[in-house]
Amino acid sequence: MEGLKIATKVVNEIDKKIKPLIGWEKADEIIKIGADGTPTKRIDLIAENIAINVLEKFSGGILISEEIGIRTFGRNLDYIVILDPIDGTYNALKSIPIYSTSIAIAEIKGKDKKVIRENSDNINWIKDFIANNYTINDLTIGVVKNLATGDLYYGVKGEGSFLEKDGEKIKIKVENKNDLKDASVGLFVYGLSNDLLEFLKERKVKRVRLFGSMALEMCYVVSGSLDAYINVNENSRLCDIAGAYVICKEGNAVITNKNGKPLNMKLNLMEKTSLIVSNKHLNRKLIALFGNRWAVKPTKFGIVVREDKKEAVNLAVKVCKYLDKKGIPYCVEPFLRAKVGGNPLNISEISHIIAIGGDGTILRASKLVDGETIPIIAVNMGKVGFLAEFYEDEIFKVIDQVIYGNYEIEKRSKLSCKIIKTIKNTSKSNNNSKIIKTPSALNEMVVITKNPAKILEFDVYINDTLVENVRADGIIISTPTGSTAYSLSAGGPIVEPSVDCFIISPICPFKLSSRPLVVSASNKIKLKLKLEKPALLVIDGNVEYEVGKDDCLIFEKSDDYAYFVKGRSFYDKLDRCLGLK
């Protein structure tokens, strides 16, 4: 019996014999700890035994299953079978109609049969041999059956994927949706990460579904019930995804880990991965949210450098020569092209940007990136360099790590501002307003007096609620990244960059009760200027806007982020820059 018929026979037999157990109180009993280290319930073990009986009757080979681990079955050595007896055990026991049986099959290569047969008594040897010689991409058959509804999904390598539902056979493939905001996404949310919490809170997609059956949710992507399935944790097991993997791949879905790398899992029970299943358009967007989509070979580096510091320029020249040797193209600022050649700096063409200098240079690189998802490799050649992740002697090692994809990305929140200026109309009683949208800030936005030694007055609102009237030399709205910059000097707290908040810090306030305030980044902060004195809005110490009486400044979390190639920990930098230890 050929592989597809065997796999279908297995899932149909489990379907028939498991149904009477649904609702049976003893089905929920924990019998043992399975080979994968998780508890095995009675219903799981029964389903596995049903599958083994069918496999031994109709075929032979090697079985990899959650409960039993690995074993040989039957007389012949035709197949490697990956089995998940019950996917969604909790749902099955609670009669929630989303639970399945999943099975995948690979054919054992002719040259391997003899050597496996010679070592048939050594199961550990067989386990290592299969793991070292076969991967998930050797699977040719995948079958997943929804045991509650009877829907049968299957994929055959080279032939496509199909859904049999209500007696009808339908060829299925992933839909070509482009916009994440229109997408329905299935999530595996065990162990919520900051990125996942942010994803849920900010409603990046149209709807989120939590079904609790990984194999079925992957199949839903191909059949159109979902547009994507995501597990950002490294805990998607081989048995969980093997059957659905074949179905998704044959249904034109893109299947990667969270960093965008194609799966190449060994056929080993303990193999685990993160997982994104979607079409190619959504895959790129989801990787940008949850992983390191730059973990593939860079296309081109951009280089910005502190022009007035000889040591920084010399290092930039060395970096360009190193990239030449590696065959990696680069583009540079005009003054540097005379020294090293290369292409003019064009943000639309680069995959990474190297910033060599102090915090000012790094902020300039962030401004040049201007919302594009381009990671910054920040090298300290300044005095403090709180934004810098690397020292001069680390740069070539870091470049190699980036080239070979062996690095992590840290995502930093930015701050946006709208200036609402009141335009007085002398000919009419009503005044008009003009809205100016400023560039985003990585560190902070500061409102200060235009004339030295002149005090300003602000009404401070959080979500349109007046929280304080502040009289001070100025006021700082800082991101967590900027908490160690101007805000710190003004008495603000040190905040870890991953905290989703903003800090409001008065500068030399008139009232002793005016203290720094930490607010959620989901809030809208509004400042209303009260006094007839000219003031400036300064963004990251560089960009300036004039503001005056009755102008409103509305600060919110930017839709854009800054991305950094991650180096040392935040607390190591605290010690280096502030000497806290």
Short mmCIF file of all heavy atoms in Angstrom, two decimals, residues 9-44:
data_model
loop_
_atom_site.label_atom_id
_atom_site.label_comp_id
_atom_site.label_asym_id
_atom_site.label_seq_id
_atom_site.Cartn_x
_atom_site.Cartn_y
_atom_site.Cartn_z
N LYS A 9 -5.29 5.67 6.05
CA LYS A 9 -5.83 4.55 6.83
C LYS A 9 -5.59 4.78 8.32
O LYS A 9 -6.47 4.54 9.14
CB LYS A 9 -5.16 3.25 6.38
CG LYS A 9 -5.64 2.00 7.10
CD LYS A 9 -7.04 1.62 6.71
CE LYS A 9 -7.45 0.31 7.36
NZ LYS A 9 -8.87 -0.03 7.08
N VAL A 10 -4.39 5.29 8.66
CA VAL A 10 -4.07 5.55 10.08
C VAL A 10 -5.01 6.58 10.67
O VAL A 10 -5.61 6.38 11.74
CB VAL A 10 -2.60 6.01 10.22
CG1 VAL A 10 -2.34 6.54 11.62
CG2 VAL A 10 -1.64 4.86 9.92
N VAL A 11 -5.15 7.73 10.01
CA VAL A 11 -5.97 8.80 10.59
C VAL A 11 -7.44 8.41 10.64
O VAL A 11 -8.15 8.77 11.59
CB VAL A 11 -5.77 10.14 9.84
CG1 VAL A 11 -4.33 10.61 9.95
CG2 VAL A 11 -6.23 10.07 8.40
N ASN A 12 -7.92 7.66 9.65
CA ASN A 12 -9.32 7.25 9.66
C ASN A 12 -9.60 6.24 10.78
O ASN A 12 -10.67 6.26 11.40
CB ASN A 12 -9.71 6.65 8.31
CG ASN A 12 -9.86 7.71 7.23
OD1 ASN A 12 -10.03 8.89 7.53
ND2 ASN A 12 -9.77 7.30 5.97
N GLU A 13 -8.63 5.36 11.02
CA GLU A 13 -8.81 4.37 12.09
C GLU A 13 -8.80 5.05 13.46
O GLU A 13 -9.61 4.71 14.34
CB GLU A 13 -7.69 3.33 12.00
CG GLU A 13 -7.95 2.06 12.79
CD GLU A 13 -9.07 1.19 12.23
OE1 GLU A 13 -9.55 1.47 11.10
OE2 GLU A 13 -9.48 0.25 12.92
N ILE A 14 -7.92 6.02 13.65
CA ILE A 14 -7.91 6.78 14.91
C ILE A 14 -9.23 7.52 15.06
O ILE A 14 -9.83 7.55 16.14
CB ILE A 14 -6.70 7.74 14.94
CG1 ILE A 14 -5.40 6.96 15.09
CG2 ILE A 14 -6.84 8.74 16.08
CD1 ILE A 14 -4.15 7.81 15.04
N ASP A 15 -9.69 8.15 13.99
CA ASP A 15 -10.95 8.90 14.01
C ASP A 15 -12.09 8.00 14.48
O ASP A 15 -12.89 8.37 15.37
CB ASP A 15 -11.22 9.43 12.60
CG ASP A 15 -12.47 10.30 12.53
OD1 ASP A 15 -12.91 10.78 13.58
OD2 ASP A 15 -12.98 10.52 11.41
N LYS A 16 -12.17 6.80 13.92
CA LYS A 16 -13.28 5.89 14.24
C LYS A 16 -13.23 5.42 15.69
O LYS A 16 -14.27 5.36 16.37
CB LYS A 16 -13.22 4.68 13.29
CG LYS A 16 -14.35 3.68 13.50
CD LYS A 16 -14.35 2.63 12.41
CE LYS A 16 -13.14 1.73 12.51
NZ LYS A 16 -13.19 0.60 11.53
N LYS A 17 -12.03 5.13 16.19
CA LYS A 17 -11.93 4.50 17.51
C LYS A 17 -11.76 5.49 18.67
O LYS A 17 -11.94 5.12 19.82
CB LYS A 17 -10.78 3.50 17.50
CG LYS A 17 -11.06 2.32 16.57
CD LYS A 17 -9.98 1.28 16.63
CE LYS A 17 -10.32 0.07 15.73
NZ LYS A 17 -9.25 -0.96 15.73
N ILE A 18 -11.43 6.74 18.34
CA ILE A 18 -11.26 7.74 19.40
C ILE A 18 -12.59 8.39 19.78
O ILE A 18 -12.78 8.78 20.93
CB ILE A 18 -10.24 8.82 18.94
CG1 ILE A 18 -8.83 8.28 19.07
CG2 ILE A 18 -10.37 10.11 19.74
CD1 ILE A 18 -8.40 7.98 20.50
N LYS A 19 -13.50 8.49 18.85
CA LYS A 19 -14.76 9.20 19.13
C LYS A 19 -15.49 8.71 20.37
O LYS A 19 -16.00 9.52 21.16
CB LYS A 19 -15.67 9.13 17.90
CG LYS A 19 -15.26 10.11 16.81
CD LYS A 19 -16.16 10.03 15.59
CE LYS A 19 -15.72 11.06 14.56
NZ LYS A 19 -16.47 10.92 13.29
N PRO A 20 -15.56 7.39 20.63
CA PRO A 20 -16.24 6.95 21.85
C PRO A 20 -15.54 7.38 23.15
O PRO A 20 -16.16 7.37 24.22
CB PRO A 20 -16.22 5.42 21.73
CG PRO A 20 -16.03 5.15 20.27
CD PRO A 20 -15.18 6.25 19.77
N LEU A 21 -14.27 7.79 23.04
CA LEU A 21 -13.52 8.20 24.23
C LEU A 21 -13.72 9.66 24.60
O LEU A 21 -13.38 10.07 25.71
CB LEU A 21 -12.01 7.95 24.01
CG LEU A 21 -11.59 6.53 23.61
CD1 LEU A 21 -10.07 6.48 23.45
CD2 LEU A 21 -12.06 5.51 24.64
N ILE A 22 -14.26 10.45 23.68
CA ILE A 22 -14.46 11.86 23.96
C ILE A 22 -15.52 12.00 25.05
O ILE A 22 -16.64 11.52 24.93
CB ILE A 22 -14.90 12.63 22.68
CG1 ILE A 22 -13.88 12.42 21.56
CG2 ILE A 22 -15.07 14.10 22.98
CD1 ILE A 22 -12.49 12.86 21.89
N GLY A 23 -15.13 12.68 26.13
CA GLY A 23 -16.03 12.83 27.27
C GLY A 23 -15.86 11.75 28.34
O GLY A 23 -16.38 11.88 29.45
N TRP A 24 -15.12 10.67 28.02
CA TRP A 24 -14.85 9.61 29.01
C TRP A 24 -13.86 10.15 30.04
O TRP A 24 -12.78 10.63 29.69
CB TRP A 24 -14.28 8.39 28.29
CG TRP A 24 -13.89 7.24 29.17
CD1 TRP A 24 -14.58 6.76 30.24
CD2 TRP A 24 -12.73 6.41 29.04
NE1 TRP A 24 -13.95 5.70 30.80
CE2 TRP A 24 -12.79 5.45 30.08
CE3 TRP A 24 -11.66 6.37 28.16
CZ2 TRP A 24 -11.81 4.48 30.27
CZ3 TRP A 24 -10.69 5.41 28.33
CH2 TRP A 24 -10.77 4.46 29.38
N GLU A 25 -14.21 10.09 31.31
CA GLU A 25 -13.40 10.74 32.35
C GLU A 25 -11.99 10.16 32.45
O GLU A 25 -11.03 10.87 32.73
CB GLU A 25 -14.10 10.65 33.71
CG GLU A 25 -14.39 9.23 34.16
CD GLU A 25 -15.14 9.19 35.48
OE1 GLU A 25 -15.74 10.21 35.85
OE2 GLU A 25 -15.11 8.13 36.13
N LYS A 26 -11.83 8.88 32.17
CA LYS A 26 -10.51 8.26 32.28
C LYS A 26 -9.59 8.62 31.12
O LYS A 26 -8.38 8.39 31.18
CB LYS A 26 -10.64 6.74 32.40
CG LYS A 26 -11.23 6.30 33.73
CD LYS A 26 -11.15 4.79 33.89
CE LYS A 26 -11.68 4.37 35.26
NZ LYS A 26 -11.58 2.90 35.45
N ALA A 27 -10.15 9.18 30.04
CA ALA A 27 -9.32 9.58 28.90
C ALA A 27 -8.34 10.68 29.28
O ALA A 27 -7.30 10.86 28.66
CB ALA A 27 -10.20 10.05 27.74
N ASP A 28 -8.66 11.41 30.36
CA ASP A 28 -7.85 12.55 30.81
C ASP A 28 -6.73 12.14 31.77
O ASP A 28 -5.93 12.97 32.19
CB ASP A 28 -8.76 13.58 31.49
CG ASP A 28 -8.12 14.94 31.61
OD1 ASP A 28 -7.15 15.20 30.88
OD2 ASP A 28 -8.57 15.75 32.44
N GLU A 29 -6.67 10.85 32.14
CA GLU A 29 -5.67 10.41 33.10
C GLU A 29 -4.27 10.46 32.50
O GLU A 29 -4.05 10.06 31.37
CB GLU A 29 -5.96 8.97 33.56
CG GLU A 29 -7.19 8.85 34.43
CD GLU A 29 -7.44 7.40 34.85
OE1 GLU A 29 -6.69 6.51 34.38
OE2 GLU A 29 -8.38 7.17 35.62
N ILE A 30 -3.30 10.94 33.29
CA ILE A 30 -1.90 10.93 32.86
C ILE A 30 -1.33 9.54 33.14
O ILE A 30 -1.32 9.07 34.27
CB ILE A 30 -1.10 12.02 33.59
CG1 ILE A 30 -1.61 13.41 33.19
CG2 ILE A 30 0.39 11.89 33.29
CD1 ILE A 30 -0.96 14.55 33.94
N ILE A 31 -0.85 8.90 32.08
CA ILE A 31 -0.34 7.53 32.18
C ILE A 31 1.16 7.52 32.46
O ILE A 31 1.65 6.73 33.26
CB ILE A 31 -0.63 6.76 30.87
CG1 ILE A 31 -2.14 6.77 30.59
CG2 ILE A 31 -0.11 5.34 30.95
CD1 ILE A 31 -2.98 6.11 31.66
N LYS A 32 1.87 8.43 31.78
CA LYS A 32 3.33 8.45 31.91
C LYS A 32 3.84 9.78 31.36
O LYS A 32 3.07 10.62 30.90
CB LYS A 32 3.95 7.30 31.12
CG LYS A 32 3.70 7.38 29.62
CD LYS A 32 4.46 6.31 28.85
CE LYS A 32 4.27 6.49 27.35
NZ LYS A 32 5.08 5.55 26.56
N ILE A 33 5.15 9.96 31.42
CA ILE A 33 5.79 11.08 30.73
C ILE A 33 6.27 10.56 29.39
O ILE A 33 7.01 9.58 29.31
CB ILE A 33 6.97 11.65 31.55
CG1 ILE A 33 6.47 12.18 32.89
CG2 ILE A 33 7.69 12.74 30.77
CD1 ILE A 33 5.48 13.32 32.80
N GLY A 34 5.84 11.21 28.33
CA GLY A 34 6.17 10.75 26.99
C GLY A 34 7.65 10.92 26.66
O GLY A 34 8.41 11.56 27.40
N ALA A 35 8.04 10.38 25.52
CA ALA A 35 9.44 10.44 25.10
C ALA A 35 9.89 11.87 24.86
O ALA A 35 11.08 12.18 24.91
CB ALA A 35 9.63 9.62 23.83
N ASP A 36 8.96 12.79 24.58
CA ASP A 36 9.31 14.18 24.36
C ASP A 36 9.36 14.99 25.65
O ASP A 36 9.57 16.20 25.63
CB ASP A 36 8.33 14.83 23.38
CG ASP A 36 6.91 14.90 23.93
OD1 ASP A 36 6.63 14.23 24.94
OD2 ASP A 36 6.09 15.62 23.35
N GLY A 37 9.12 14.32 26.80
CA GLY A 37 9.22 14.99 28.09
C GLY A 37 7.93 15.61 28.59
O GLY A 37 7.90 16.22 29.65
N THR A 38 6.83 15.46 27.85
CA THR A 38 5.55 16.01 28.27
C THR A 38 4.63 14.88 28.74
O THR A 38 4.80 13.72 28.33
CB THR A 38 4.87 16.77 27.12
OG1 THR A 38 4.65 15.88 26.02
CG2 THR A 38 5.76 17.92 26.65
N PRO A 39 3.64 15.18 29.60
CA PRO A 39 2.75 14.13 30.11
C PRO A 39 1.94 13.46 29.00
O PRO A 39 1.45 14.13 28.09
CB PRO A 39 1.82 14.89 31.07
CG PRO A 39 2.56 16.13 31.42
CD PRO A 39 3.36 16.50 30.22
N THR A 40 1.84 12.14 29.06
CA THR A 40 1.03 11.38 28.12
C THR A 40 -0.29 11.02 28.80
O THR A 40 -0.30 10.39 29.85
CB THR A 40 1.75 10.09 27.70
OG1 THR A 40 2.93 10.42 26.99
CG2 THR A 40 0.85 9.23 26.82
N LYS A 41 -1.39 11.41 28.19
CA LYS A 41 -2.71 11.06 28.73
C LYS A 41 -3.20 9.79 28.06
O LYS A 41 -2.73 9.39 26.99
CB LYS A 41 -3.67 12.23 28.54
CG LYS A 41 -3.21 13.48 29.32
CD LYS A 41 -4.28 14.53 29.43
CE LYS A 41 -3.81 15.65 30.35
NZ LYS A 41 -4.82 16.69 30.57
N ARG A 42 -4.16 9.18 28.71
CA ARG A 42 -4.64 7.89 28.24
C ARG A 42 -5.11 7.97 26.78
O ARG A 42 -4.83 7.08 25.98
CB ARG A 42 -5.79 7.40 29.13
CG ARG A 42 -6.27 5.99 28.80
CD ARG A 42 -7.42 5.59 29.70
NE ARG A 42 -7.01 5.49 31.09
CZ ARG A 42 -6.46 4.42 31.65
NH1 ARG A 42 -6.22 3.35 30.92
NH2 ARG A 42 -6.13 4.41 32.92
N ILE A 43 -5.79 9.06 26.41
CA ILE A 43 -6.30 9.19 25.05
C ILE A 43 -5.17 9.26 24.04
O ILE A 43 -5.27 8.73 22.92
CB ILE A 43 -7.24 10.42 24.93
CG1 ILE A 43 -8.04 10.34 23.62
CG2 ILE A 43 -6.48 11.73 25.05
CD1 ILE A 43 -9.14 11.38 23.53
N ASP A 44 -4.04 9.90 24.41
CA ASP A 44 -2.87 9.98 23.52
C ASP A 44 -2.30 8.59 23.27
O ASP A 44 -1.98 8.22 22.13
CB ASP A 44 -1.78 10.87 24.13
CG ASP A 44 -2.21 12.30 24.32
OD1 ASP A 44 -2.78 12.87 23.38
OD2 ASP A 44 -1.98 12.87 25.41
#
